[in-house]
Amino acid sequence: MDNYLFEGGRITKMEVDYAPACDEKIPLAKELAKQNPDSFHEAIEMLLNLEKQTRLGADMVSCSRVLVAVCQICLEAGNWNALNEYVTLLVKRRSQLKQAVSKMIQECCSYVDKTPDKETKLKFIDTLRSVTEGKIYVEIERARLTKILADIKEADGDISGAAAVMEELQVETYGSMDKREKVELILEQMRLCLLKEDLVSTQIIAKKISIKFFDDPAQHDLKLKYYDLMIRLDRDSSYLKTSRHYQAIAEPPRQTPSVEAIEESKKKSVTFKEDDKKKKDKEEVKLAAALPPVELTPEQDKEQKQRLICAVLYSVLAPYDNEQSDMMAKLSKIKKLEEVPIYKEILRLFMSKELINFDTFNHDFGTVLAENDMFQDNTKHGRKCIVELKDRLIEHNIRIIAMYYSRVHLKRMSELLNLPPTRCEEYLSKLANSDTIRVKIDRPAEIVYFTTKKSASDVLNNWANDVNQLMSLVNKTCHLINKEECIHSVKSIAVEE
């Protein structure tokens, strides 16, 4: 099989072995170009003739050596324009071998950092990106070159240009690229889209990453970067998602599994059939969960506490629903929360079925919350969080009132909430629209009526009961009508007799 070449799914026979000719002419051409700069084109021409022979003879190894040698001669001569021209020329030649082109592009990628100035570098990158466009066998090199170009544009302040260049890459379709490198490039796409405030594109790109990838302890650095970007994306639009993101990184990182554990896991995975993929995934998750957590430094421990605090605060700021209630219950069971008792108490208050007095809450926790970055008056997000916290506290109190009262006077309710009646009506309308509570207001009498939300089965049972009562009345009415008709007919017969 050494004399055959697999080219594009076809088996191509190597006609002639040009290795001896390459061993002779390549050093000769390099020496000629080095000793006499005027003989540069002569040395290149010698190699181009040899390249044609190796290409037509399907000698991939020798052809690769020739293409790389052409690039090396251009580099040593410092002739970047010639390098751009010959790279473009060699890639476009008829029946050019893909493996040879791949070797040449890989060699050229190592020259990017050796360019003398920025203009030459940009021109060289543009040439390489042009010749690699649409070629699957050099997709990794093109992606790396695009990342370098995006970094240059970002350094120049062209954020939109850098994001546009990166968004051209469909990294998730690259089968030959390592999974970690794929995730790094996708995260870079997300970061640039966030910088230009394109939130829709960021959400679309974020869905390309499966969070199961971060179950591997070796990917903890990428996990932190991913969730940091997701927090920046969701913190103004969804407090519940933001809380979930903080909770995901509030857990301490696990130790990387040993070689023996990995080998044992591989042996177990061999025993699973294709239809038992779920069992295999569960085994991998169990292996990761069984690993002991990494010992944290004081700075890392402080960061973990801060993330847990943010998870608690954002869960409190989220509008009330079943998911938010479950999130708070889950957070309250975390043992590390005992190290920050103030925030544990805040969480307990919002989970309890008791009214929260705003003045008392402000006296007990106002100073602590004011020190948190989330509630800074000098930022737009901080001012928004302060307003949302007041709203959530009032909404909590209204839900508690609805639990204990079936009807209440509006004046009494405004006293309990410490709000004017008009503001009470606004919050009641808001909660009624969101279907959090069932309420009706008798404005002339100024009485608020609360009703419990009925389940679908209860509504159906009530409807069936009403229908039964209606049909009973109809049957009774028909019976009475028939009775009257019978009596009337008997009386008429008696009169006639």
Side-chain angles (χ1 to χ4, degrees), residues 487-497:
I487 293 173
H488 180 72
S489 61
V490 169
K491 284 183 179 180
S492 62
I493 292 170
V495 170
E496 290 176 359
E497 291 179 352

Side-chain angles (χ1 to χ4, degrees), residues 143-321:
R144 291 169 181 168
L145 289 168
T146 303
K147 171 69 168 61
I148 296 171
L149 180 60
D151 290 341
I152 294 173
K153 287 182 176 291
E154 184 183 1
D156 293 341
D158 186 9
I159 302 298
S160 298
V165 167
M166 284 298 294
E167 284 184 75
E168 292 176 4
L169 298 176
Q170 302 298 323
V171 185
E172 66 277 6
T173 64
Y174 294 178
S176 55
M177 182 178 283
D178 180 63
K179 191 177 289 187
R180 180 181 172 87
E181 189 173 2
K182 277 187 191 180
V183 173
E184 287 175 347
L185 289 173
I186 294 174
L187 291 177
E188 186 66 16
Q189 291 176 341
M190 289 175 60
R191 186 183 68 83
L192 290 172
C193 286
L194 275 177
L195 284 178
K196 72 169 188 175
E197 298 181 353
D198 187 355
L199 302 183
V200 175
S201 296
T202 309
Q203 288 176 339
I204 294 171
I205 295 170
K207 292 178 181 178
K208 297 177 182 179
I209 300 177
S210 173
I211 58 174
K212 288 183 180 179
F213 172 77
F214 301 118
D215 291 340
D216 184 3
Q219 315 301 338
H220 185 70
D221 57 330
L222 295 183
K223 178 180 179 180
L224 294 178
K225 188 175 180 181
Y226 169 78
Y227 281 110
D228 179 58
L229 293 172
M230 293 303 296
I231 288 166
R232 289 166 56 188
L233 173 65
D234 291 329
R235 68 177 185 173
D236 287 324
S237 58
S238 174
Y239 293 126
L240 191 64
K241 289 182 180 178
T242 307
S243 175
R244 192 180 293 114
H245 299 327
Y246 272 115
Q247 191 174 350
I249 56 177
E251 301 173 357
R254 300 282 175 180
Q255 293 182 4
T256 306
S258 61
V259 178
E260 293 80 6
I262 294 174
E263 290 297 328
E264 186 177 350
S265 177
K266 286 182 178 179
K267 289 178 182 177
K268 288 183 178 179
S269 65
V270 173
T271 60
F272 290 115
K273 299 179 182 178
E274 292 183 0
D275 56 346
D276 291 340
K277 188 178 179 182
K278 291 184 179 179
K279 292 183 180 179
K280 179 183 175 183
D281 292 340
K282 287 182 180 179
E283 287 293 329
E284 291 177 354
V285 171
K286 286 181 181 179
L287 175 63
L291 296 170
V294 176
E295 292 185 6
L296 302 177
T297 62
E299 292 79 9
Q300 291 175 331
D301 188 59
K302 185 177 179 181
E303 289 178 2
Q304 293 294 111
K305 287 181 184 177
Q306 188 60 38
R307 290 167 188 156
L308 186 59
I309 289 170
C310 290
V312 170
L313 292 178
Y314 277 110
S315 68
V316 167
L317 292 179
Y320 178 82
D321 57 15

Side-chain angles (χ1 to χ4, degrees), residues 55-100:
R55 173 166 46 86
L56 297 178
D59 186 355
M60 186 272 292
V61 176
S62 299
C63 188
S64 302
R65 290 177 60 191
V66 174
L67 295 185
V68 170
V70 171
C71 297
Q72 290 173 346
I73 290 174
C74 293
L75 176 68
E76 291 172 1
N79 194 338
W80 293 94
N81 290 329
L83 179 59
N84 290 332
E85 292 174 7
Y86 284 119
V87 167
T88 306
L89 173 69
L90 292 170
V91 170
K92 292 182 178 180
R93 287 203 160 179
R94 181 175 63 89
S95 301
Q96 187 59 275
L97 304 175
K98 293 180 180 178
Q99 291 88 343

